[in-house]
Amino acid sequence: MKRIICIAVITLLAAAAPARSQTLVDPNKVAPEYREAAEKRRAEQLRQRECALKADLDKVLPRDRTAYLNHCLDGPVAKP
């Protein structure tokens, strides 16, 4: 019985791992003196997500993903 419980706990912990990913920074929820830094961080997070999405769409292999993401992030910054 203990073995089944241990397996169940390990399975639940493994399934919850993706839920611990970093969330986007909300500049409206930080103190006013840190708002500018939060806006910059959010813009960087959005660029990283965009590059990761492009890597997924281009079906980049895991071994090449880091180089692809670095190249994407080093590219020109798009201004809205």
Side-chain angles (χ1 to χ4, degrees):
M1 186 67 161
K2 286 184 181 181
R3 191 175 200 171
I4 293 173
I5 292 172
C6 287
I7 291 172
V9 169
I10 291 171
T11 303
L12 288 174
L13 290 175
R20 289 183 265 167
S21 65
Q22 188 177 26
T23 59
L24 284 175
V25 173
D26 186 3
N28 297 324
K29 292 186 179 181
V30 298
E33 60 267 19
Y34 301 116
R35 189 156 293 145
E36 184 179 343
E39 289 171 353
K40 288 180 183 179
R41 177 66 185 138
R42 183 178 178 88
E44 181 64 23
Q45 286 176 324
L46 290 173
R47 283 186 62 227
Q48 289 173 356
R49 283 188 176 191
E50 182 180 317
C51 287
L53 180 62
K54 286 170 78 175
D56 290 339
L57 292 175
D58 290 345
K59 298 179 182 175
V60 176
L61 295 174
R63 68 172 186 233
D64 300 329
R65 189 173 177 92
T66 302
Y68 183 92
L69 292 175
N70 284 335
H71 179 69
C72 178
L73 291 171
D74 288 340
V77 177
K79 297 282 181 177

